[in-house]
Amino acid sequence: MEDRAVAPGNGEGGGAVGTAASSVSSSAPASSDASVPSLLDSRTLPPVAASSDDAAPRYLPREDGSAPSSLTFSEAFAQLRKTSSYVAPPPEKSQENKPPVRDAAATIYVNRRQKGNPMLKSVRNVGLEFRDGLIPDYVMGENSCCVLFLSVRYHLLHNTYLDERVQSVRKDDPTRYKTKLVLCFVDVDDNEVALREINRVALLSDFTLVLAWSWLEAARYLETFKAYENKSATIIKEKVEAEFLPKANDVLTSIRSVNKTDVVTLLSTFGTVKGLMNASMEELSLCPGVGAKKVRQLLETFQEPFTKQ
């Protein structure tokens, strides 16, 4: 009987496993051989075909019907404009010849003869609109206020100009404008005689004379005339208080060195203005804060006659 070597294991199964392992180990290449490429090396893998999802976007077909590989937005939009579904936008209306719309409440109408006036460069708070057919130089409203402009230097050269302009306004419609003004720019040092002549013409023609010593001041007057064209005179009228104490303060503080604190002290002591006026020097001297000087001035005011002899 021949002796056979059996690999350790559970019977014949263990020998089969050992035989298979030895065959695999004998057929596998040696790992130490660097010249043999590995099965996991990416260089040995075949190239992967690009999918349709990775292709460049296609917007529109070309004119010949073939699909382009890619189109820019400009090219795609140009193709879209050639289709029958494209509707061109309406052309924009030209605004070059259209006059700007101005607010009449903040616009001064200017006679075209004033187009070269340097004062207009200083007018910033209101709009200016040149109009044909205006008789005055400036019109604030249709029937509210009109202005004639004149410089003293021009008056010295043409001394009848203002009278002619005033007469033209009066001849047009003497009752049309509620307020008529002569805005005079004083640009001459020796102006006393000229201003007297200008004032005489304005006064006799029912115009109000307003003097300005700079272009900026004249422009501010013009803007103010426009701002107050529809305002009543009550806005500049002094407000009269209805209460007793404000009235007493207004009257008694007009006496020199008498202040509002003294008024309160005197009225609280004598009760009324009549009682204060009938008080004697000794009674006034007893009031706190009222010295001899104030007492003397109070008595002189109360005892002074209304009419001088």
Side-chain angles (χ1 to χ4, degrees):
M1 181 179 293
E2 296 180 359
D3 296 331
R4 291 181 297 178
V6 179
N10 296 329
E12 295 180 358
V17 172
T19 305
S22 61
S23 63
V24 171
S25 61
S26 62
S27 62
S31 60
S32 60
D33 190 358
S35 62
V36 180
S38 173
L39 294 177
L40 300 179
D41 193 349
S42 61
R43 292 174 295 178
T44 62
L45 298 177
V48 180
S51 63
S52 60
D53 296 338
D54 298 333
R58 297 180 176 86
Y59 298 102
L60 292 172
R62 291 178 177 174
E63 296 180 358
D64 56 0
S66 61
S69 59
S70 63
L71 283 177
T72 63
F73 179 79
S74 300
E75 294 173 345
F77 189 72
Q79 293 288 342
L80 177 63
R81 296 179 64 178
K82 297 178 181 180
T83 60
S84 59
S85 60
Y86 175 76
V87 179
E92 296 182 359
K93 296 182 180 180
S94 177
Q95 301 290 337
E96 296 179 358
N97 299 327
K98 188 176 180 180
V101 179
R102 298 182 182 273
D103 185 8
T107 303
I108 297 177
Y109 303 121
V110 186
N111 194 319
R112 291 196 178 274
R113 69 169 65 203
Q114 293 290 314
K115 199 165 187 178
N117 194 331
M119 177 189 64
L120 300 181
K121 298 180 181 179
S122 301
V123 178
R124 302 184 182 92
N125 298 324
V126 294
L128 299 175
E129 181 178 336
F130 291 93
R131 279 193 174 185
D132 296 323
L134 287 182
I135 302 300
D137 294 329
Y138 302 94
V139 176
M140 309 305 158
E142 294 298 332
N143 301 311
S144 58
C145 178
C146 70
V147 178
L148 294 177
F149 182 84
L150 178 70
S151 68
V152 176
R153 188 183 301 275
Y154 191 85
H155 175 75
L156 294 176
L157 297 175
H158 309 276
N159 56 1
T160 61
Y161 171 78
L162 179 61
D163 187 54
E164 294 173 357
R165 299 287 290 124
V166 166
Q167 295 302 326
S168 63
V169 174
R170 297 184 63 185
K171 184 178 180 180
D172 177 50
D173 190 350
T175 60
R176 178 178 179 180
Y177 301 103
K178 299 178 182 178
T179 306
K180 298 184 287 292
L181 305 170
V182 174
L183 181 58
C184 182
F185 176 57
V186 183
D187 53 352
V188 175
D189 294 333
D190 188 10
N191 50 46
E192 183 177 354
V193 177
L195 290 179
R196 189 181 296 114
E197 295 175 356
I198 295 173
N199 188 36
R200 179 184 60 82
V201 175
L203 184 62
L204 295 177
S205 304
D206 198 21
F207 275 71
T208 302
L209 177 62
V210 179
L211 303 179
W213 272 261
S214 67
W215 295 118
L216 183 61
E217 182 183 4
R220 293 297 172 269
Y221 276 131
L222 205 63
E223 294 172 352
T224 304
F225 298 153
K226 179 60 182 178
Y228 288 89
E229 63 171 330
N230 295 320
K231 305 294 183 181
S232 63
T234 56
I235 62 174
I236 61 175
K237 185 178 179 181
E238 183 181 4
K239 295 182 179 180
V240 179
E241 299 290 344
E243 300 295 332
F244 169 72
L245 184 58
K247 288 183 178 181
N249 278 326
D250 190 29
V251 173
L252 296 177
T253 53
S254 61
I255 303 174
R256 186 176 301 177
S257 73
V258 177
N259 53 43
K260 293 183 179 181
T261 304
D262 298 332
V263 173
V264 174
T265 302
L266 294 171
L267 291 179
S268 61
T269 302
F270 300 101
T272 61
V273 177
K274 181 179 180 180
L276 172 62
M277 297 179 68
N278 293 330
S280 62
M281 180 181 295
E282 291 77 10
E283 292 174 338
L284 292 174
S285 301
L286 295 177
C287 295
V290 180
K293 182 179 179 180
K294 293 182 180 180
V295 170
R296 184 174 64 255
Q297 290 176 346
L298 285 170
L299 292 176
E300 290 178 357
T301 303
F302 295 154
Q303 297 173 3
E304 184 179 2
F306 285 100
T307 58
K308 294 184 178 181
Q309 300 297 332

